């Protein structure tokens, strides 16, 4: 097994696509290609050949480039078994407990329903890399389009158990507005205050704020903190169980 070289590709308005390249075998995957052109340009600039697409869920800003990339490269498309009918061109269906290997890299797959009912995440332990689509964002989480607060809390809790040094490669640059919301919920969190300042500085310099680490998210992301007494106290949610607290924080964000 070997560590992946991971490249960020901005696309559409605020999406990030991720190229994952295994230097030993030259296998290259793209995670959630919103569109084909920037992927082909990034591959061409590095002399890499696309061998795989890894999809986390069916939304157009995550699968929009599937067909064009498969036609251009003959790559293998991997996606959620639970949502296979909504993943264009899917070749390999994966779900909870599966491992998937491309090149020398091996991913463990988690079912993480909530944002969509068939959402999955790919964890590459050797690379300390988690590709979680629209489940956990830097300082946020995906909207509950097809799932319940109980499902999303269970999904996030599952990912929260991974090592804190895990890098969280989410699919959108929403961090600065997420930080404003997070501060409105837990204004007393010193780590969050410091992170929000750092994010403002990074964005002012035009820098990306993704990936973060799981440890940073555990310390500062309101959607990972719905079972922490200090969070519940700051948010005025004392006495609520984690699912109810998570659901209330998600409702506040929807109306923020
Ligand atoms: Zn989505
Ligand atoms: Fe998305």
């Amino acid at each position: 097994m070997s560590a992946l070289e991971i490249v960020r590709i901005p696309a559409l308005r605020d999406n990030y696509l991720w190229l994952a390249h295994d230097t030993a075998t030259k296998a290259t995957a793209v995670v959630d290609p919103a569109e084909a052109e920037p992927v082909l340009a990034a591959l061409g600039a590095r002399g890499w050949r696309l061998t795989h697409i890894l999809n986390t869920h069916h939304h157009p800003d995550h699968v929009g480039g599937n067909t064009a990339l498969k036609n251009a490269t003959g790559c293998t498309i991997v996606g959620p078994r639970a949502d296979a009918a909504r993943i264009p061109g899917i070749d390999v269906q994966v779900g909870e407990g599966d491992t998937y290997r491309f090149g020398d890299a091996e991913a463990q797959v988690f079912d993480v329903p909530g944002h969509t009912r068939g959402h999955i995440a790919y964890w590459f332990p050797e690379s300390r890399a988690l590709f979680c689509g629209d489940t956990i964002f830097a300082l946020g989480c995906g909207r509950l389009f097809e799932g319940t607060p109980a499902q999303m809390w269970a999904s996030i809790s599952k990912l929260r158990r991974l090592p804190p040094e895990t890098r969280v490669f989410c699919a959108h640059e929403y961090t600065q507005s997420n930080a404003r919301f997070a501060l409105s919920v837990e204004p007393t969190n010193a780590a969050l205050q410091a992170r929000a300042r750092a994010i403002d500085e990074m964005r002012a310099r035009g820098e990306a704020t993704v990936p973060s680490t799981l440890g940073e998210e555990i310390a500062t992301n309101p959607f990972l903190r719905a079972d922490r007494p200090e969070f519940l106290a700051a948010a005025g949610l004392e006495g609520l169980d984690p699912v109810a607290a998570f659901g209330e924080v998600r409702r506040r964000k929807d109306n923020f």
Side-chain angles (χ1 to χ4, degrees):
M1 296 227 283
S2 56
L4 295 165
E5 182 178 345
I6 299 173
V7 174
R8 179 192 311 101
I9 309 175
L12 304 180
R13 214 167 69 83
D14 51 33
N15 277 76
Y16 288 139
L17 327 182
W18 302 100
L19 280 186
H21 179 71
D22 176 39
T23 27
T25 65
K26 310 218 179 304
T28 305
V30 63
V31 181
D32 282 351
E35 47 184 355
E37 292 72 21
V39 177
L40 294 171
L43 291 163
R46 291 167 179 80
W48 294 350
R49 195 177 68 81
L50 191 68
T51 56
H52 294 78
I53 291 172
L54 305 180
N55 288 131
T56 65
H57 68 294
H58 74 87
H59 283 155
D61 62 314
H62 298 255
V63 303
N66 273 25
T67 304
L69 287 170
K70 191 173 183 177
N71 289 341
T73 66
C75 65
T76 298
I77 300 182
V78 184
R81 181 179 300 120
D83 236 340
R86 296 195 286 181
I87 305 294
I90 190 168
D91 297 299
V92 180
Q93 303 179 21
V94 294
E96 180 76 24
D98 288 341
T99 56
Y100 185 76
R101 172 173 288 259
F102 81 94
D104 269 348
E106 188 169 88
Q108 297 184 27
V109 179
F110 301 104
D111 285 338
V112 285
H115 177 67
T116 67
R117 66 172 182 264
H119 202 302
I120 59 173
Y122 301 87
W123 177 43
F124 291 87
E126 291 276 305
S127 299
R128 299 183 296 106
L130 174 69
F131 296 99
C132 59
D134 290 354
T135 298
I136 296 175
F137 293 130
L139 286 177
C141 80
R143 277 177 182 264
L144 306 185
F145 287 118
E146 301 177 8
T148 64
Q151 283 176 315
M152 190 62 143
W153 175 250
S155 296
I156 285 175
S157 298
K158 192 190 295 183
L159 299 182
R160 198 176 64 165
R161 287 194 287 271
L162 300 178
E165 65 273 18
T166 303
R167 294 174 295 164
V168 180
F169 292 91
C170 66
H172 291 274
E173 179 64 62
Y174 291 157
T175 317
Q176 199 168 26
S177 63
N178 285 345
R180 282 195 284 275
F181 172 72
L183 282 169
S184 80
V185 180
E186 196 184 15
T188 50
N189 183 332
L192 172 59
Q193 294 163 2
R195 188 176 177 195
R197 279 194 299 274
I199 287 163
D200 286 341
E201 289 165 13
M202 291 170 82
R203 296 307 289 158
R205 292 193 298 263
E207 295 172 11
T209 63
V210 182
S212 58
T213 67
L214 198 54
E216 289 179 276
E217 299 306 327
I218 288 168
T220 55
N221 184 329
F223 296 101
L224 276 69
R225 296 174 56 73
D227 58 352
R228 304 291 157 109
E230 71 274 21
F231 173 83
L232 296 172
L237 300 172
E238 298 98 328
L240 290 193
D241 66 66
V243 169
F246 174 84
E248 172 57 21
V249 176
R250 187 58 254 181
R251 265 189 300 279
R252 289 185 192 175
K253 177 68 166 69
D254 290 343
N255 298 312
F256 186 67

